[in-house]
Each structure stands twice: as structure tokens, then as C-alpha cells.
Amino acid sequence: MKKIICSMLFFIITMNNYSQKAKEAKADKEYDQYAYVDAIKTYERLFEKGYKSADMLQKLGDSYYFKGELDNAAKYYGELFSLTQEVTPEYYYRYAQSLKAVKEYKKADEMLIIFNQKSGNDSRAALAASQKDYLAEIKKNSGRYTLENTGINSNKSDYGSTFYNNKVIFASARDTIGISKKQHTWTGESFTNLYSADIGDQGSLSNPNPFGKKLNTKFHESTPVFTKDGKTVYFTRNNFLNGKKGKDADKTTLLKIYKATLDGDDWKDIIELPFNSDEYNTAHPALSADEKTLYFASNMPGTIGQSDIYKVAINSDGSFGTPTNLGRTVNTEGRETFPMITPDNELYFASDGHPGLGGLDIFVTKEQADGRYKEVQNVGEPLNSSMDDFGFLINNSTRYGYVTSNRDGGQGNDDIYRFVETKKLECEQLLSGIVTDKITGLPLTNSKVSLSDSKYTKLQETMTDSQGKFDFGKVDCGKKYYLRAEKEEYTTIEIATVTAEESGKTFVPMELEKEVCKLAIGDDLSKCFKIKIIYFDLDKSFIRTDAAMELSKILDVLEQNPTMEIDVRSHTDCRQTAKYNMALSDRRAKSTIAWLVSKDINKSRITGRGYGESQLVNDCGCEPTNKSDCTEEQHQANRRSEFIITKL
């Protein structure tokens, strides 16, 4: 009974069926692993002198971004985008986040629009990732239930259910239980009342009978939930109490949640909950296992969509806290309704806002220790169909349960189906790793490691133990995560990992480099700044623009250390005659020295010459044939520039 369900969900909707079109998102954002080897201050000095490159600006922006200094990050990301826009999508995101920190909201929004286009139309509302290949995801989650009609359904609407003393209590429009016949003008059926059915083997139901005489009225009653002792019930009813019908400003009778207590065989002391209102709906209560939290659906002020899932604390004195919206991970601009919470803290609910098969689908998520919710998952077929599927209920021990649907083949407008869960949906990976010094390989204790999801939302943070190890415990399967490691005097890094599709363990090694080079006589400045070669044009020895960028790093060090002296050494690979390579490398070493001297470095502080192929760092020699079987990477190792400290 699609219409009456929607009336209980606060809406009148048409009878037209619809199916959601597949929205295929583009590939996930690529994320490079950054290892910043140059000190921020050195690069800032270079920047002030007019030296710029995309690589330098990325490193500067990232260094400040990771440190949380977003105003400085915005400055250098802005310079990056002024220089080039040929960057990976993530830089649009980081630039937007940094712009927000300096209240440049309009420009931040422009960057996010481009980011969304380049990265798969990511709306930052936690839906982009779940929309990618959602039909394949639903298919992967399907086939975990056996499903059949319960046999207690009428030719009217039967929906929603809860457990009570080895019975199932549900709502039905099958008759008026002796009350003068009254039809709901939206549906043409009787108003729903509460019924009970006996539970048999494997969840079979029988003997449907009216339940709770004093709970039922001439208006709608539905979706009750009982405390474990069976003495208290919360349930949904139209705004009607003590013979009085309440209406909103538009003269509409909305829905409210009521509470009643059992006195002997009668339900008495029926009261409405304090967060109800004549001006909005509250409906479909569900109790947490400890009975300290009540979940429900509402369109109260603050609702994101047409209806949202809320929770409210039940205090020890029976009073209630302030209702809290479960947020955008759960709620969308559509309808979220019919919540059900298990003893394992799994939240099941119905939604037409999350990607599904059509109409309302059943979804599940889980509240974590910090109060956030895991990514919502569609429970798949056969529980879900192209029609409305809602009112999920499961016995946590036996794994049998019930769901309501208006799918084809039913007896009435809505029918209750029983199911047995043959396989749990939740797949868990154990995520751990180790942080070590990249040079020594030794474990780094007390390193801070952060875990973020694919949308860069931080999930956990921990410190490495005495063996440099960290452990984030259980995470989702088949998901992309980002891990960031940071330690004082070391360069922060952030790397991505994707967990396996099946339960198991994921171990992530992370290597940190010293942020500041500690130099001594005999050290090579090129190793500090990762300069492998000062590039020259073929057979030329004058300094190119890109070579000047690299040399500017050496220049800055010499300017900051006026007593330092260096020896410039230029090396080649073996692919030419030894005589030719010696002469060419010597000319290039002298050109390098001349460039530094032209920048006001005293000539007496610099010596140097070329060594050709005389000091190869591997076995890639060519003599006497000038031929070698070595790879280009091996030859590259020999083509290097060295800046050896001879005096400090």
C-alpha cells in the first residue's frame, strides 16, 4: 500500500512507479605520495627571489596544508594555479579547503565545482563514492536472504513489525476492529490498527488478531516498539489523544509518537512525547539495545530532506534529551524513515535518497565509537526490489526477520515477508602498519598516524608503539583509505591504501625522512635536495632554466652559510668515449661554478671539475666498445652532479 505508507511517512505521492537511473561516477581521485625533502624556509626564500616551479609550489602548499596552516597553504596553492592548472584533481580540493579558511568562499566554490567535474562530480555530501557503480555494489550485496510471504497478509495493507513476547506486532488496514467503519481519504482503505501474530519455526507467522485495544483508535496506529520487560511501548499515531484531534496551521492532522505503560492486561497512561509538535511529523520509533536511545523519523526543523532519521536520549528519570539529526552520511534530500537498531549497533532504515533499485530500499550503516556512521550500504536483493521496501526487522540471534514491500506478487497493497539471513553483509579488514626511518630502517616510536576515508574525513588517530607499529583495528573491505604519518623533525607523508574485498588483514609500511639535512664536511648537498643531475642541452655546457632552478637551492644554502665551501663534481654515464665524457663533464662543472659566481658567491669558495665516466656508481661501464646492456635507470644513476662540502 504505497499510498498509505507515504501518508505515514508524511507525504502524498502518485501511483506512478519509477526507477532510478544509474549515475556512473568517474574514477576516484588519484593521490600521490609526497615526500618533501626541502625545508620550507629554503623554498620560501627561493620564492621571494622569483624562482618558481610547479613542483616547488606543490611542496610548499602541501607542507602547510599537512601542518594545518591553511592560510599559508592558500597562498602557495594560489601561486601554483597562477602558474599552471595541469594538476591532479586533489589540488582543486585542497585549494578550495584552504580558501575557505581565509573566507574566500566564492572562489572556493568555483574550485569545488571544477574538482567535482574532474573527480567524478563529488558533492561532498558523502554520496559521490557510493554512486559509483552502485548497481554492481548492490549486486555484490545481494543473495544473502531467503524470502517468502508470511501467510498472514490480507488484501489490504499490512506493514511494519516488531517483536513482543514471542509475537510479531504489525499494522494492518484489514478492518476497523469494531469501530465505526472509517476510511482514510488518501488511500480509500481503513485506518491502520495494531495486530499480533504468533511466531513459529524459522519465523513463520500465524493467528493474526487485534492487539492492544486501548492503543487502537479510529485513526492510524503503527510501528510500535517495546521495552525488554514488555511494560512500555512507544508507537506512532495520528495527532489524536483523549478524544481530541490536533491539526497544524494547514488544518492537517500529522503524526506523533506516543508512549503507554502496561497495567495488568491493559495499556494505560498514553502520553505524547515532548518533542512532538502539531506542526511537523514524528513517527516510527526504534529502541537501542540498552533502551537509552530512541530512534525515529521526522521532518522537524533542521531536517535535510523530506524526512530524516533522528535519535534522542532517554534519561534515567524517563525524561528525554534534545533530538539529534543523524547527519548527511545517513540522511539525504530524499526520504529516510523506518529505522531499526540491532544489539550490534547496526542501523537499518528505508530510503529513496541513497542509490537503490527503485522506490524505498533498505539500507544499513553502523554507528562508530566517535558517534559517526559508516558508509551506508544497500542490503541488496531479494530484500530490495524496484518497488517500496521498508520496515526491516531481524532477530539478532536466529537471523530470521521481516520486511514490508508492495512488490508484485503480493496479496494486498503492502505485504509482510519473512526472511532468513544466510550471510552477514559486514566484511571487516584489520588495518595496521609500521613507521620507520627511511635511511636507517629503524622503527619510529611516538609517530602520529591518522586514518581518513576516501573523502579525506579523518576517522582515527593513534601513536606508534615502541616498535614503531600502529593498529586501527577493524575497517571496511574494498575501501580506499588515506594514512598520514608525522613526527617531529621528519617530513609528513600521506599515502593511500585499498583494503581487500574479503575479510582479512591490511599492513601498511610507512617510511619517514628527516625534514632538515644535518650537514658535515664531506656530505653531498645534492643528496639533501635530491639533485641527481644539472641538465644541459645535448653537447652544450651553458646553464638551462630548469638547471638554474636546481642550482638556486645550492645558492641559497651557500648564502645562508657564508663560511661554507664546496667542490662541484660533474659525472656522466659511459655512452661515449672516455675522453669525450671527461671533457664534456669538465665544461659543465665549470659552467656550474661560473653560474654560482655570477650570483655573487666568492670564487674562492668553489672548486670543481668533471670526472666523466671515471667514477661510476654501478657496473654499467662501456669500455672499450661504448656499448652496455644496462637499463636507462642504471645509466641515470651515473649521470649525476655532486656538491661536496669541503669546509663549514
Side-chain angles (χ1 to χ4, degrees), residues 465-510:
D465 61 17
S466 60
Q467 297 179 315
K469 294 182 179 180
F470 60 88
D471 189 348
F472 286 116
K474 295 179 181 179
V475 297
D476 291 334
C477 299
K479 300 297 180 183
K480 189 174 187 178
Y481 292 96
Y482 293 108
L483 294 100
R484 189 171 81 183
E486 48 190 309
K487 184 175 176 63
E488 189 174 350
E489 297 187 355
Y490 283 84
T491 299
T492 296
I493 66 169
E494 189 170 65
I495 62 177
T497 187
V498 178
T499 56
E501 294 286 350
E502 60 279 340
S503 294
K505 297 180 180 180
T506 298
F507 188 83
V508 182
M510 304 182 75

Side-chain angles (χ1 to χ4, degrees), residues 282-296:
T282 56
H284 316 314
L287 272 174
S288 62
D290 61 9
E291 301 182 354
K292 294 181 179 180
T293 305
L294 188 75
Y295 295 79
F296 62 95

Side-chain angles (χ1 to χ4, degrees), residues 280-337:
Y280 56 77
N281 296 280
T282 56
H284 316 314
L287 272 174
S288 62
D290 61 9
E291 301 182 354
K292 294 181 179 180
T293 305
L294 188 75
Y295 295 79
F296 62 95
S298 180
N299 63 340
M300 63 175 54
T303 297
I304 297 168
Q306 298 177 57
S307 65
D308 286 359
I309 307 296
Y310 287 80
K311 66 178 180 179
V312 63
I314 303 175
N315 301 319
S316 57
D317 62 359
S319 62
F320 291 84
T322 302
T324 302
N325 190 299
L326 296 195
R328 289 187 174 270
T329 301
V330 173
N331 295 312
T332 70
E333 289 75 15
R335 296 177 295 166
E336 278 71 48
T337 187

Side-chain angles (χ1 to χ4, degrees), residues 4-59:
I4 193 168
I5 290 304
C6 290
S7 73
M8 297 298 288
L9 291 172
F10 330 136
F11 315 104
I12 306 174
I13 65 175
T14 67
M15 294 296 291
N16 295 326
N17 293 332
Y18 66 91
S19 62
Q20 297 182 352
K21 295 182 179 179
K23 295 179 181 178
E24 190 160 317
K26 296 179 182 178
D28 286 340
K29 298 171 289 293
E30 292 294 328
Y31 191 88
D32 296 328
Q33 176 180 347
Y34 298 101
Y36 309 126
V37 297
D38 301 307
I40 289 176
K41 291 183 179 179
T42 295
Y43 274 100
E44 285 185 321
R45 286 190 294 265
L46 296 177
F47 174 80
E48 295 300 326
K49 293 176 183 179
Y51 297 109
K52 297 181 183 180
S53 73
D55 179 67
M56 182 191 79
L57 294 170
Q58 286 177 354
K59 288 180 179 179

Side-chain angles (χ1 to χ4, degrees), residues 32 60 113 200 353 416 497 534 545 554 612:
D32 296 328
L60 266 173
I113 289 172
I416 300 173
T497 187
I534 299 298
T545 302
I554 304 301

